Amino acid sequence: MTSETTKAPDALQQLVADTDTGGRTPQGATRLLLFGAALAWALFQYWYASPLPFVLGFGILNDTQARAIHLGFALFLTYLAWPASKRSPRQYVPWLDWLLALVGAFAGAYIMLFYAELATRPGNPSTMDLVVACTGLVLLLEATRRAVGWPMAVLALFFISYTMAGPWLPEVIAHKGASLNRMLSHMWLTTEGVYGIALGVSASTIFVFVLFGALLDRSGGGNYMMQVSFAALGHLRGGPAKVAVASSALNGMISGSSVANVVSTGIFTIPLMKKAGYGPVKAGAIETMSSVDGQIMPPVMGAAAFLMVEYVGIPYSDVVKHAFLPAILSYIGLFYIVHLEALRMGMQPIAQRAYRHWRERVVRNLFGVLGTIIVVGALYYAIAAMKALLGAAAPWAVGATVLGLYLVALYQAAQCPELPQSIEGASVDGHLRDTWPTVRAGLHFIMPIGILVWCLMVEQMSPALSAFWAVTALAVLMLTQAPLTAMLRRQSTAGLWGEGGQAVVEGFHNGARNMIGIGIATATAGIVVGGITLTGLGLRMTEFVEFISQGNVIFMLMFVAATCLIIGLGVPTTANYILVATLMAPVVVELGAQSGLVIPLIAVHMFVFYYGIMADITPPVGLATFAASAISGASSLKTGIQGSIYASRTLILPFIWIFNPQLLLLNLDGWGEALRVIVASMVAMLVFAAVTMGWFRVKNRWWETVLLFTAVVLLFRPDLFMNRLAPEYEAVPAAQVFEVARDAPTDGRLVLRIEGMTLEGDERSKTVALLLGGEQGEDGRKRIADAGLQLMPLGESLQVGLVRFGSGAARSGFEQGWDVRDVQVRTTRPSAHWFYLPALALLLLVWFWQGRRLPKSPVNTPVPL
């Protein structure tokens, strides 16, 4: 458990343990063994993520071997940490669980232990292989029931049964089936089942990011973010609720667990929200919706985000870029919702800040913001100069610079009082602490996050290597922050070095314990994916979804959203995402293309991801809701319903970015357009919250709601109106495709309409888009080939030739042998963003009209944020 959750009451600690780390707390030698095994797992994953094996030429493992060790540790720790039932002992490990742990570890690591032997008999497993595979599957299902929940285990069992019973099923879902030997071999002895992509991402990437979050929280970073949030927002109307939103957003940057997020911040914010007048149900609902949305907050998003890298085939830095604006919009919407709730309920601030003239406040805030921008900009260009001028010595110079910044940050912290460990202690002489002095008191906590973002976004390192360097920097911080701060304050450092080392060890242990459930869930998700690939279920889903939606894209998306919410009632976000993305994402792209709509694959995956995280809220089994209601004392059902109502006001976003991918920062022509889209989207999110809450400056009248909603549509979908006036694309002959590709901008799209026969023998046509590499003006044929596509002229027509496996062309839906009907080229119509102007005019009209109805008394005048 994290350092924050240790302050929670015993019941809440047990809830987090039962959910995230296992509820068993043995003593004596068993406790030490459990601690040591978790620590060994963390150290192995840290080693695997590092460049050290390649530098030293020792301990180099391929992906399959690493996955096997990963699963072996996860199974071993599951049976030691999770009791079999509520009646099972918590203080010791029964002999049966010891046996299951040892057998599970052997079965999980089997393909690593006998890697050479298995390589000599592919597709021809021995009796020993099949016995181990069968035992491993059974033990994995039981581990899933314990660590993840019975719904996930039942789902996996359903796919195993579906794989075996194919010939006896109704015709619409029947398949030829698989023998027991083939099923066991496919699921356990290859990388198509349990040891597939999901477990691989868990072993290579997710673990080290979870480790980073656990270390940052153990170092005091979580408390620092909460203190900054309260110092900045605690004096506002509904301040505690706004602190809950802001601190959950900040915690979400480093934690993928919504339950732990609820507990770590909710034990402070929920009582304060009740004191402010929100009531227990609304207080718990606000904390729940804020914490759950943290899974979409970059740079450390939920575990599903790392799987997205493999499924979509883009760098993690691109996933972060695409998720940035939706995450910000979501939290802006939540922030404004709690503000409007405070206005509706006539709340007043529960805390005060020391009086300062407005000029002084403006100067202080401008100094803080501009100073931050200047320092970050100067650092960026200084490092770029070092890399350009110093060559091989640049890493040493950059390291020395980072070390110098760390010492400066510690010096700043040493000049400030120690941060309190609770919000109750976040005031001085009855007033809130000032924001910037609070920020100064923990600037060093920002540095590991900065290193992570720098490695991901600037250096373009792999996610695992980026997290390795961030974890390394964080370990150094934890070892040195206390003694160095004491030295700067001229205090004794006795025992502080040892405390820092102990904190690092405990942080590694906590990270491993937090990973047990994720490791088991990703392995079990491999059973689902293996069942889909073995039976061809994915191909049947296209027909099924097309039948349900009747080809209507909106109905299709509503069906996918409902599927995410329903499946999410029983399985965690990661497994939910894997299942729905595997079955539904290609279907949505394909059916959208057949409707003439180019839907980027990343947009569909983000859609599934966003609706998947909502499952932690929705009753009756939303785990985050249980945690919040345990703190607030309210009914979990009522809290879940209220949280779902709040969260539903942000659920418009996924539908918007499907039809307007600019919200994902896709298809933008320069930073000017990006800035317009960002500002317009933020305003639209605020206004949409006002529409759903029925309150803008005062209570909305029906016609004001209509005008505000019209403004929302104009801001979110300006193209919807422009398309009525002028088409976005015009068709040119297919023979001009290479000229169009040559003239397309760098990183531009080539949009084609193709037609041909499906595997089922049906004639289809669809619109597909290919993301081009290379520079504008480069040979068009080469740019298309580099994207994985070959086009062959056949007389007057053009045909799709080779589609390279795993390429952007394959993921975009190009079909080999289909004919190119025409090329879609953008017209020179005016920008759709001109419709922002009438939207702003409508907003100003309602703003001034409602201003005439504001109460005259200055005491009771509600002042919007």
Side-chain angles (χ1 to χ4, degrees):
M1 286 175 287
T2 64
S3 62
E4 295 294 342
T5 58
T6 56
K7 303 173 193 139
D10 291 343
L12 289 177
Q13 293 186 44
Q14 190 62 46
L15 175 62
V16 176
D18 290 341
T19 304
D20 287 344
T21 62
R24 187 173 277 152
T25 55
Q27 302 300 316
T30 303
R31 176 179 177 276
L32 293 177
L33 178 61
L34 181 57
F35 187 96
L39 182 61
W41 189 19
L43 292 174
F44 162 73
Q45 296 290 165
Y46 180 71
W47 170 269
Y48 181 62
S50 75
L52 295 177
F54 302 96
V55 172
L56 301 177
F58 169 76
I60 300 175
L61 300 171
N62 63 34
D63 290 345
T64 303
Q65 292 170 321
R67 295 173 190 184
I69 296 174
H70 185 78
L71 180 57
F73 269 114
L75 286 170
F76 181 76
L77 290 169
T78 298
Y79 283 104
L80 295 187
W82 264 273
S85 67
K86 292 183 178 180
R87 296 181 179 179
S88 300
R90 259 64 174 173
Q91 287 70 40
Y92 67 93
V93 180
W95 68 267
L96 180 59
D97 282 356
W98 278 111
L99 178 62
L100 296 178
L102 293 172
V103 175
F106 174 77
Y110 182 75
I111 63 173
M112 189 276 296
L113 297 173
F114 298 94
Y115 188 79
E117 291 85 347
L118 289 169
T120 63
R121 51 177 188 267
N124 186 29
S126 66
T127 302
M128 177 68 173
D129 297 339
L130 295 176
V131 170
V132 171
C134 184
T135 305
L137 278 178
V138 173
L139 292 179
L140 177 59
L141 291 174
E142 168 60 12
T144 304
R145 184 193 68 81
R146 295 189 185 194
V148 185
W150 63 265
M152 183 69 184
V154 170
L155 183 66
L157 190 60
F158 167 80
F159 272 89
I160 291 176
S161 303
Y162 176 72
T163 301
M164 301 292 295
W168 298 280
L169 295 174
E171 183 178 355
V172 67
I173 57 173
H175 59 92
K176 66 179 182 180
S179 66
L180 179 62
N181 286 5
R182 187 184 179 200
M183 186 275 293
L184 291 174
S185 178
H186 185 83
M187 293 295 185
W188 202 265
L189 302 176
T190 71
T191 56
E192 298 295 325
V194 170
Y195 297 94
I197 290 176
L199 187 65
V201 174
S202 178
S204 65
T205 305
I206 297 175
F207 192 108
V208 70
F209 273 83
V210 171
L211 179 61
F212 173 78
L215 286 171
L216 187 57
D217 188 64
R218 183 65 181 80
S219 70
N223 179 61
Y224 167 68
M225 293 175 179
M226 185 175 62
Q227 295 296 333
V228 170
S229 301
F230 196 69
L233 306 170
H235 66 289
L236 300 175
R237 292 176 185 269
K242 293 170 181 175
V243 171
V245 173
S247 60
S248 295
L250 293 173
N251 273 326
M253 295 171 61
I254 60 174
S255 171
S257 172
S258 56
V259 177
N261 203 349
V262 166
V263 173
S264 62
T265 59
I267 55 174
F268 302 118
T269 58
I270 289 177
L272 286 176
M273 280 189 275
K274 291 167 65 177
K275 180 180 177 182
Y278 280 101
V281 172
K282 290 184 177 180
I286 289 169
E287 180 58 52
T288 301
M289 69 173 185
S290 304
S291 297
V292 166
D293 264 20
Q295 293 184 68
I296 200 173
M297 193 69 184
V300 184
M301 302 162 64
F306 302 105
L307 294 164
M308 208 179 297
V309 172
E310 299 294 331
Y311 288 146
V312 183
I314 59 176
Y316 185 70
S317 57
D318 284 355
V319 174
V320 169
K321 180 182 72 174
H322 299 320
F324 173 74
L325 186 53
I328 297 299
L329 290 177
S330 175
Y331 272 103
I332 286 176
L334 297 180
F335 193 90
Y336 196 52
I337 285 168
V338 300
H339 174 69
L340 293 176
E341 193 75 87
L343 291 180
R344 287 171 51 179
M345 301 175 70
M347 295 181 185
Q348 297 298 323
I350 65 169
Q352 298 294 328
R353 178 174 286 173
Y355 174 77
R356 283 188 174 86
H357 194 274
W358 68 269
R359 291 191 186 90
E360 183 182 357
R361 295 200 304 270
V362 170
V363 170
R364 290 166 66 93
N365 288 330
L366 281 177
F367 180 78
V369 173
L370 292 177
T372 301
I373 294 174
I374 291 171
V375 169
V376 172
L379 182 62
Y380 174 83
Y381 287 107
I383 292 178
M386 292 177 197
K387 292 165 64 177
L389 298 175
L390 300 180
W396 295 100
V398 172
T401 302
V402 172
L403 178 60
L405 288 173
Y406 174 57
L407 295 176
V408 170
L410 281 184
Y411 177 78
Q412 293 291 324
Q415 308 308 306
C416 300
E418 287 282 352
L419 290 175
Q421 295 300 308
S422 68
I423 289 181
E424 287 81 356
S427 59
V428 179
D429 298 329
H431 295 94
L432 289 177
R433 293 171 179 264
D434 288 329
T435 303
W436 290 107
T438 306
V439 172
R440 283 178 54 207
L443 280 173
H444 53 291
F445 291 121
I446 301 176
M447 294 190 65
I449 301 176
I451 291 173
L452 176 63
V453 174
W454 180 275
C455 292
L456 278 173
M457 308 301 292
V458 179
E459 300 295 337
Q460 295 285 306
M461 294 182 184
S462 69
L465 186 58
S466 301
F468 165 78
W469 289 116
V471 167
T472 302
L474 193 47
V476 172
L477 180 150
M478 295 173 70
L479 287 168
T480 61
Q481 64 171 336
L484 290 180
T485 303
M487 291 170 61
L488 290 170
R489 290 173 175 166
R490 299 187 178 181
Q491 298 173 349
S492 172
T493 62
L496 295 180
W497 294 99
E499 290 178 7
Q502 182 180 357
V504 172
V505 172
E506 290 178 354
F508 269 73
H509 166 262
N510 293 344
R513 290 291 294 265
N514 289 336
M515 266 301 300
I516 299 173
I518 297 175
I520 294 297
T522 52
T524 309
I527 296 177
V528 175
V529 176
I532 293 171
T533 57
L534 192 56
T535 61
L537 179 61
L539 297 176
R540 292 178 176 82
M541 285 303 300
T542 302
E543 299 177 4
F544 178 70
V545 175
E546 185 177 18
F547 173 76
I548 293 293
S549 65
Q550 293 297 302
N552 186 290
V553 176
I554 292 291
F555 289 160
M556 177 171 54
L557 293 172
M558 292 175 65
F559 176 75
V560 173
T563 302
C564 290
L565 294 175
I566 293 171
I567 293 177
L569 294 177
V571 302
T573 300
T574 304
N576 188 351
Y577 168 77
I578 292 171
L579 175 60
V580 182
T582 303
L583 284 175
M584 300 290 192
V587 176
V588 173
V589 173
E590 176 68 21
L591 295 182
Q594 292 178 15
S595 302
L597 180 65
V598 177
I599 304 177
L601 186 59
I602 181 63
V604 181
H605 280 264
M606 288 291 295
F607 183 98
V608 172
F609 182 31
Y610 195 88
Y611 272 94
I613 68 176
M614 291 297 113
D616 278 348
I617 300 178
T618 49
V621 292
L623 297 177
T625 299
F626 287 152
S629 60
I631 299 172
S632 67
S635 163
S636 59
L637 181 61
K638 292 181 179 178
T639 302
I641 292 173
Q642 184 64 57
S644 300
I645 292 172
Y646 283 143
S648 65
R649 290 166 175 137
T650 67
L651 292 183
I652 186 178
L653 284 174
F655 284 90
I656 296 299
W657 71 57
I658 289 290
F659 297 100
N660 184 15
Q662 291 178 320
L663 261 69
L664 301 179
L665 303 182
L666 287 168
N667 308 332
L668 292 171
D669 297 327
W671 282 104
E673 184 177 15
L675 184 61
R676 291 197 301 272
V677 169
I678 290 172
V679 173
S681 300
M682 289 181 178
V683 174
M685 193 69 247
L686 294 174
V687 179
F688 184 73
V691 169
T692 56
M693 295 290 290
W695 193 285
F696 192 40
R697 300 184 74 184
V698 294
K699 186 176 181 180
N700 296 339
R701 293 172 178 170
W702 70 267
W703 60 269
E704 292 171 339
T705 298
V706 171
L707 293 180
L708 291 175
F709 185 75
T710 303
V712 170
V713 177
L714 286 166
L715 291 169
F716 268 141
R717 290 291 314 277
D719 60 309
L720 185 66
F721 298 89
M722 182 58 76
N723 290 343
R724 301 295 187 272
L725 302 177
E728 182 179 6
Y729 292 97
E730 63 180 358
V732 301
Q736 299 182 23
V737 63
F738 300 117
E739 290 80 2
V740 173
R742 178 195 63 203
D743 298 333
T746 304
D747 296 328
R749 295 194 310 164
L750 179 67
V751 182
L752 306 175
R753 285 199 295 177
I754 61 176
E755 54 189 10
M757 183 177 295
T758 66
L759 293 175
E760 293 78 18
D762 300 325
E763 290 288 341
R764 299 283 188 183
S765 66
K766 58 183 180 178
T767 305
V768 289
L770 182 67
L771 185 63
L772 296 173
E775 299 291 334
Q776 186 175 14
E778 191 177 327
D779 179 62
R781 191 183 298 271
K782 181 179 183 302
R783 296 185 71 183
I784 294 174
D786 289 344
L789 179 65
Q790 289 185 4
L791 299 176
M792 301 183 302
L794 296 176
E796 297 294 327
S797 63
L798 193 69
Q799 192 176 82
V800 177
L802 178 67
V803 181
R804 192 168 67 239
F805 178 77
S807 65
R811 289 188 293 270
S812 297
F814 282 90
E815 304 278 358
Q816 187 169 344
W818 283 34
D819 295 324
V820 179
R821 181 176 171 184
D822 54 49
V823 185
Q824 298 288 303
V825 180
R826 278 194 171 185
T827 62
T828 57
R829 71 177 189 179
S831 171
H833 294 170
W834 284 107
F835 282 97
Y836 290 162
L837 296 180
L840 295 176
L842 291 176
L843 293 181
L844 290 174
L845 176 63
V846 177
W847 177 274
F848 286 115
W849 195 275
Q850 290 197 356
R852 300 170 60 184
R853 304 204 305 273
L854 286 173
K856 300 299 181 183
S857 171
V859 176
N860 297 323
T861 300
V863 181
L865 181 66

